[in-house]
Amino acid sequence: MSDLHPPHVGPAQAAAASERFARRARPDVAYAVMASPVGRLVVAATPRGLVRIAYEDHAGGVDAVLDGLARRLSPRILEAPGRLDDVRRELDEYFAGRRRTFDVPIDWSLSTPFGRRILQATAAIPFGATASYGAIAARAGNARASRAAGRALGANAIPIVVPCHRVIGSGGRLTGYTGGLERKVALLALEGVPAG
């Protein structure tokens, strides 16, 4: 029986092989970090659609966001900005005032069934309009679940595109927001909604 010896591969060859693999392998989750007027965003998508937008400074940083995606979706995550070009373009258009609705497909994998109904009702709030937590709960099928609606909105994995900033307290009171209240005010102002 002959001895088997693995081929010697130097660090440069290993790095090149890794890069070739990364270019060819299709990850379960592709992500990119994008600049925006409301701060740097960590944006991620699966083959089904946009699955995560996180404010980098409010979510523990890029690594924390990726760790969460790895635990809940898949460890096969790759930085691939080109795969998020459509999301970047639509976000750029929104922040420039040239887009009022988003067309990118959504992957709701990070939402519970109730949370998904709440977020889908929230996604239907028109640009420049607001709705109360109670109204969103009613649209999702349970008018008495306004507190649960608040919790589901607090767990919104796709802020901005699913515009939870348009949900306000009864009487027009501004309440919490996943990226901080100042961002909620900024997003409402961008849409021409006076805040406060």
PDB file of all heavy atoms in Angstrom, residues 104-121:
ATOM      1  N   VAL A 104     -38.795  45.117  -3.994  1.00  0.00           N
ATOM      2  CA  VAL A 104     -37.932  43.943  -3.815  1.00  0.00           C
ATOM      3  C   VAL A 104     -38.728  42.841  -3.108  1.00  0.00           C
ATOM      4  O   VAL A 104     -39.543  43.121  -2.214  1.00  0.00           O
ATOM      5  CB  VAL A 104     -36.659  44.278  -3.012  1.00  0.00           C
ATOM      6  CG1 VAL A 104     -35.733  45.166  -3.811  1.00  0.00           C
ATOM      7  CG2 VAL A 104     -37.000  44.885  -1.669  1.00  0.00           C
ATOM      8  N   PRO A 105     -38.531  41.584  -3.490  1.00  0.00           N
ATOM      9  CA  PRO A 105     -39.216  40.495  -2.786  1.00  0.00           C
ATOM     10  C   PRO A 105     -38.731  40.394  -1.346  1.00  0.00           C
ATOM     11  O   PRO A 105     -37.576  40.703  -1.053  1.00  0.00           O
ATOM     12  CB  PRO A 105     -38.861  39.244  -3.598  1.00  0.00           C
ATOM     13  CG  PRO A 105     -37.678  39.612  -4.413  1.00  0.00           C
ATOM     14  CD  PRO A 105     -37.682  41.100  -4.586  1.00  0.00           C
ATOM     15  N   ILE A 106     -39.635  39.972  -0.476  1.00  0.00           N
ATOM     16  CA  ILE A 106     -39.342  39.855   0.954  1.00  0.00           C
ATOM     17  C   ILE A 106     -39.313  38.377   1.348  1.00  0.00           C
ATOM     18  O   ILE A 106     -40.165  37.598   0.939  1.00  0.00           O
ATOM     19  CB  ILE A 106     -40.442  40.563   1.791  1.00  0.00           C
ATOM     20  CG1 ILE A 106     -40.553  42.042   1.419  1.00  0.00           C
ATOM     21  CG2 ILE A 106     -40.184  40.368   3.283  1.00  0.00           C
ATOM     22  CD1 ILE A 106     -39.415  42.888   1.860  1.00  0.00           C
ATOM     23  N   ASP A 107     -38.347  38.020   2.153  1.00  0.00           N
ATOM     24  CA  ASP A 107     -38.294  36.699   2.792  1.00  0.00           C
ATOM     25  C   ASP A 107     -38.702  36.909   4.250  1.00  0.00           C
ATOM     26  O   ASP A 107     -37.991  37.560   5.008  1.00  0.00           O
ATOM     27  CB  ASP A 107     -36.872  36.129   2.692  1.00  0.00           C
ATOM     28  CG  ASP A 107     -36.753  34.758   3.351  1.00  0.00           C
ATOM     29  OD1 ASP A 107     -37.646  34.392   4.145  1.00  0.00           O
ATOM     30  OD2 ASP A 107     -35.758  34.076   3.088  1.00  0.00           O
ATOM     31  N   TRP A 108     -39.849  36.365   4.634  1.00  0.00           N
ATOM     32  CA  TRP A 108     -40.393  36.581   5.975  1.00  0.00           C
ATOM     33  C   TRP A 108     -39.908  35.538   6.977  1.00  0.00           C
ATOM     34  O   TRP A 108     -40.498  35.365   8.042  1.00  0.00           O
ATOM     35  CB  TRP A 108     -41.928  36.546   5.920  1.00  0.00           C
ATOM     36  CG  TRP A 108     -42.528  37.573   5.029  1.00  0.00           C
ATOM     37  CD1 TRP A 108     -42.982  37.396   3.753  1.00  0.00           C
ATOM     38  CD2 TRP A 108     -42.759  38.956   5.330  1.00  0.00           C
ATOM     39  NE1 TRP A 108     -43.473  38.583   3.247  1.00  0.00           N
ATOM     40  CE2 TRP A 108     -43.351  39.555   4.201  1.00  0.00           C
ATOM     41  CE3 TRP A 108     -42.521  39.747   6.457  1.00  0.00           C
ATOM     42  CZ2 TRP A 108     -43.701  40.897   4.159  1.00  0.00           C
ATOM     43  CZ3 TRP A 108     -42.866  41.091   6.421  1.00  0.00           C
ATOM     44  CH2 TRP A 108     -43.451  41.646   5.280  1.00  0.00           C
ATOM     45  N   SER A 109     -38.847  34.826   6.683  1.00  0.00           N
ATOM     46  CA  SER A 109     -38.393  33.713   7.523  1.00  0.00           C
ATOM     47  C   SER A 109     -38.123  34.098   8.973  1.00  0.00           C
ATOM     48  O   SER A 109     -38.200  33.244   9.859  1.00  0.00           O
ATOM     49  CB  SER A 109     -37.117  33.099   6.955  1.00  0.00           C
ATOM     50  OG  SER A 109     -37.354  32.541   5.696  1.00  0.00           O
ATOM     51  N   LEU A 110     -37.779  35.334   9.243  1.00  0.00           N
ATOM     52  CA  LEU A 110     -37.431  35.736  10.599  1.00  0.00           C
ATOM     53  C   LEU A 110     -38.653  36.160  11.411  1.00  0.00           C
ATOM     54  O   LEU A 110     -38.511  36.584  12.553  1.00  0.00           O
ATOM     55  CB  LEU A 110     -36.391  36.865  10.576  1.00  0.00           C
ATOM     56  CG  LEU A 110     -35.040  36.497   9.959  1.00  0.00           C
ATOM     57  CD1 LEU A 110     -34.117  37.708   9.919  1.00  0.00           C
ATOM     58  CD2 LEU A 110     -34.388  35.351  10.725  1.00  0.00           C
ATOM     59  N   SER A 111     -39.842  36.054  10.821  1.00  0.00           N
ATOM     60  CA  SER A 111     -41.061  36.489  11.508  1.00  0.00           C
ATOM     61  C   SER A 111     -41.895  35.286  11.935  1.00  0.00           C
ATOM     62  O   SER A 111     -41.945  34.275  11.235  1.00  0.00           O
ATOM     63  CB  SER A 111     -41.913  37.364  10.577  1.00  0.00           C
ATOM     64  OG  SER A 111     -41.182  38.471  10.126  1.00  0.00           O
ATOM     65  N   THR A 112     -42.582  35.445  13.055  1.00  0.00           N
ATOM     66  CA  THR A 112     -43.577  34.449  13.456  1.00  0.00           C
ATOM     67  C   THR A 112     -44.806  34.638  12.569  1.00  0.00           C
ATOM     68  O   THR A 112     -44.953  35.680  11.905  1.00  0.00           O
ATOM     69  CB  THR A 112     -43.983  34.670  14.917  1.00  0.00           C
ATOM     70  OG1 THR A 112     -44.630  35.955  15.024  1.00  0.00           O
ATOM     71  CG2 THR A 112     -42.775  34.614  15.852  1.00  0.00           C
ATOM     72  N   PRO A 113     -45.714  33.675  12.550  1.00  0.00           N
ATOM     73  CA  PRO A 113     -46.936  33.866  11.731  1.00  0.00           C
ATOM     74  C   PRO A 113     -47.702  35.142  12.116  1.00  0.00           C
ATOM     75  O   PRO A 113     -48.122  35.905  11.241  1.00  0.00           O
ATOM     76  CB  PRO A 113     -47.748  32.603  12.015  1.00  0.00           C
ATOM     77  CG  PRO A 113     -46.697  31.562  12.310  1.00  0.00           C
ATOM     78  CD  PRO A 113     -45.622  32.299  13.076  1.00  0.00           C
ATOM     79  N   PHE A 114     -47.876  35.396  13.425  1.00  0.00           N
ATOM     80  CA  PHE A 114     -48.570  36.623  13.831  1.00  0.00           C
ATOM     81  C   PHE A 114     -47.737  37.852  13.458  1.00  0.00           C
ATOM     82  O   PHE A 114     -48.260  38.837  12.932  1.00  0.00           O
ATOM     83  CB  PHE A 114     -48.838  36.609  15.340  1.00  0.00           C
ATOM     84  CG  PHE A 114     -49.468  37.885  15.833  1.00  0.00           C
ATOM     85  CD1 PHE A 114     -50.805  38.159  15.583  1.00  0.00           C
ATOM     86  CD2 PHE A 114     -48.717  38.829  16.536  1.00  0.00           C
ATOM     87  CE1 PHE A 114     -51.387  39.340  16.015  1.00  0.00           C
ATOM     88  CE2 PHE A 114     -49.292  40.015  16.974  1.00  0.00           C
ATOM     89  CZ  PHE A 114     -50.636  40.271  16.718  1.00  0.00           C
ATOM     90  N   GLY A 115     -46.446  37.784  13.729  1.00  0.00           N
ATOM     91  CA  GLY A 115     -45.577  38.911  13.373  1.00  0.00           C
ATOM     92  C   GLY A 115     -45.613  39.211  11.897  1.00  0.00           C
ATOM     93  O   GLY A 115     -45.614  40.376  11.484  1.00  0.00           O
ATOM     94  N   ARG A 116     -45.681  38.177  11.101  1.00  0.00           N
ATOM     95  CA  ARG A 116     -45.742  38.397   9.653  1.00  0.00           C
ATOM     96  C   ARG A 116     -47.026  39.127   9.261  1.00  0.00           C
ATOM     97  O   ARG A 116     -46.993  40.033   8.437  1.00  0.00           O
ATOM     98  CB  ARG A 116     -45.651  37.045   8.934  1.00  0.00           C
ATOM     99  CG  ARG A 116     -45.741  37.178   7.428  1.00  0.00           C
ATOM    100  CD  ARG A 116     -45.504  35.853   6.756  1.00  0.00           C
ATOM    101  NE  ARG A 116     -45.678  35.975   5.320  1.00  0.00           N
ATOM    102  CZ  ARG A 116     -45.356  35.047   4.453  1.00  0.00           C
ATOM    103  NH1 ARG A 116     -44.816  33.927   4.857  1.00  0.00           N
ATOM    104  NH2 ARG A 116     -45.545  35.226   3.167  1.00  0.00           N
ATOM    105  N   ARG A 117     -48.162  38.744   9.886  1.00  0.00           N
ATOM    106  CA  ARG A 117     -49.412  39.454   9.564  1.00  0.00           C
ATOM    107  C   ARG A 117     -49.314  40.922   9.970  1.00  0.00           C
ATOM    108  O   ARG A 117     -49.774  41.814   9.244  1.00  0.00           O
ATOM    109  CB  ARG A 117     -50.601  38.780  10.268  1.00  0.00           C
ATOM    110  CG  ARG A 117     -50.942  37.414   9.711  1.00  0.00           C
ATOM    111  CD  ARG A 117     -52.369  36.978  10.074  1.00  0.00           C
ATOM    112  NE  ARG A 117     -52.697  37.118  11.476  1.00  0.00           N
ATOM    113  CZ  ARG A 117     -52.467  36.187  12.401  1.00  0.00           C
ATOM    114  NH1 ARG A 117     -51.912  35.041  12.062  1.00  0.00           N
ATOM    115  NH2 ARG A 117     -52.812  36.391  13.664  1.00  0.00           N
ATOM    116  N   ILE A 118     -48.699  41.176  11.127  1.00  0.00           N
ATOM    117  CA  ILE A 118     -48.520  42.559  11.576  1.00  0.00           C
ATOM    118  C   ILE A 118     -47.622  43.324  10.602  1.00  0.00           C
ATOM    119  O   ILE A 118     -47.920  44.463  10.193  1.00  0.00           O
ATOM    120  CB  ILE A 118     -47.906  42.589  12.993  1.00  0.00           C
ATOM    121  CG1 ILE A 118     -48.923  42.070  14.022  1.00  0.00           C
ATOM    122  CG2 ILE A 118     -47.405  43.982  13.359  1.00  0.00           C
ATOM    123  CD1 ILE A 118     -50.117  42.972  14.233  1.00  0.00           C
ATOM    124  N   LEU A 119     -46.532  42.709  10.209  1.00  0.00           N
ATOM    125  CA  LEU A 119     -45.590  43.403   9.317  1.00  0.00           C
ATOM    126  C   LEU A 119     -46.188  43.601   7.926  1.00  0.00           C
ATOM    127  O   LEU A 119     -45.944  44.625   7.276  1.00  0.00           O
ATOM    128  CB  LEU A 119     -44.272  42.628   9.253  1.00  0.00           C
ATOM    129  CG  LEU A 119     -43.517  42.545  10.590  1.00  0.00           C
ATOM    130  CD1 LEU A 119     -42.254  41.702  10.443  1.00  0.00           C
ATOM    131  CD2 LEU A 119     -43.169  43.935  11.113  1.00  0.00           C
ATOM    132  N   GLN A 120     -46.967  42.638   7.471  1.00  0.00           N
ATOM    133  CA  GLN A 120     -47.612  42.823   6.168  1.00  0.00           C
ATOM    134  C   GLN A 120     -48.655  43.938   6.230  1.00  0.00           C
ATOM    135  O   GLN A 120     -48.792  44.704   5.270  1.00  0.00           O
ATOM    136  CB  GLN A 120     -48.230  41.498   5.702  1.00  0.00           C
ATOM    137  CG  GLN A 120     -47.158  40.493   5.277  1.00  0.00           C
ATOM    138  CD  GLN A 120     -47.706  39.133   4.920  1.00  0.00           C
ATOM    139  OE1 GLN A 120     -48.689  38.666   5.520  1.00  0.00           O
ATOM    140  NE2 GLN A 120     -47.065  38.469   3.969  1.00  0.00           N
ATOM    141  N   ALA A 121     -49.371  44.043   7.347  1.00  0.00           N
ATOM    142  CA  ALA A 121     -50.316  45.156   7.501  1.00  0.00           C
ATOM    143  C   ALA A 121     -49.555  46.475   7.556  1.00  0.00           C
ATOM    144  O   ALA A 121     -49.999  47.496   7.004  1.00  0.00           O
ATOM    145  CB  ALA A 121     -51.148  44.968   8.772  1.00  0.00           C
TER     146      ALA A 121
END
